[in-house]
Amino acid sequence: MSSSSTQSPLRRALHGFIDARNAALIEARRTLKIGELDARALLFVAANPGARPTQLRGYLGITSAGVTTLIDRLVDRDAVRRDVDPHDRRVNRITVTVDLGILPWSALTRFDTDFDQAVSQGDAVQNELFATTLDGFTHTVVTLARAS
């Protein structure tokens, strides 16, 4: 489709997914009284236990001072802890200390958990085909964007 105002059914469905997920995360942040960066940081560290602050900084695209302040805020809320790396005492590792599987913190992951459950009830072959196709489309767009 050449017109940017005409969406393909796939793009429309993806926008619906993104909008629904974002709405769930906004509600979770409201419930937990945390900001967007805090929520994104918690989800990143949960997916990458023992992450270094530099990794979190790169993921979030913030300054060193910003990531230090963010981690301090999450430590103060008892949501994460800093551990000194046993192999390099100059390095801290960040670990989530709250259980994202139970209330109230599960609000951050509820949409994804429910979505995964819905997907698991579908056809596994079709799910794999869709995922592979979507990955291919995404790779193509990213490659084109880098080339321009």
Side-chain angles (χ1 to χ4, degrees), residues 41-53 56 71 74-75 78-85 92-100:
L42 274 170
L43 292 172
F44 178 84
V45 175
N48 301 278
R52 296 172 62 161
L56 184 56
I71 293 169
L74 293 175
V75 167
D78 294 322
V80 301
R81 73 171 188 263
R82 286 185 182 96
D83 297 311
V84 176
D85 187 308
N92 283 311
R93 301 285 180 172
I94 311 302
T95 304
V96 172
T97 57
V98 294
D99 187 343
L100 294 178

Side-chain angles (χ1 to χ4, degrees), residues 36-143:
E36 179 182 359
L37 281 179
D38 293 30
R40 290 180 59 207
L42 274 170
L43 292 172
F44 178 84
V45 175
N48 301 278
R52 296 172 62 161
T54 54
Q55 292 171 294
L56 184 56
R57 183 188 75 209
Y59 174 73
L60 296 173
I62 60 177
T63 65
S64 294
V67 81
T68 299
T69 301
L70 183 147
I71 293 169
D72 287 345
R73 202 167 44 242
L74 293 175
V75 167
D76 289 346
R77 288 205 60 181
D78 294 322
V80 301
R81 73 171 188 263
R82 286 185 182 96
D83 297 311
V84 176
D85 187 308
H87 304 292
D88 185 349
R89 299 200 49 80
R90 298 169 297 174
V91 174
N92 283 311
R93 301 285 180 172
I94 311 302
T95 304
V96 172
T97 57
V98 294
D99 187 343
L100 294 178
I102 61 171
L103 289 172
W105 296 100
S106 62
L108 285 173
T109 58
R110 184 173 305 119
F111 182 88
D112 292 341
T113 301
D114 291 349
F115 186 84
D116 288 345
Q117 184 177 4
V119 168
S120 73
Q121 295 172 5
D123 181 283
V125 173
Q126 290 296 320
N127 290 341
E128 184 63 33
L129 179 61
F130 174 68
T132 301
T133 303
L134 183 58
D135 283 344
F137 290 154
T138 302
H139 176 75
T140 298
V141 171
V142 169
T143 301

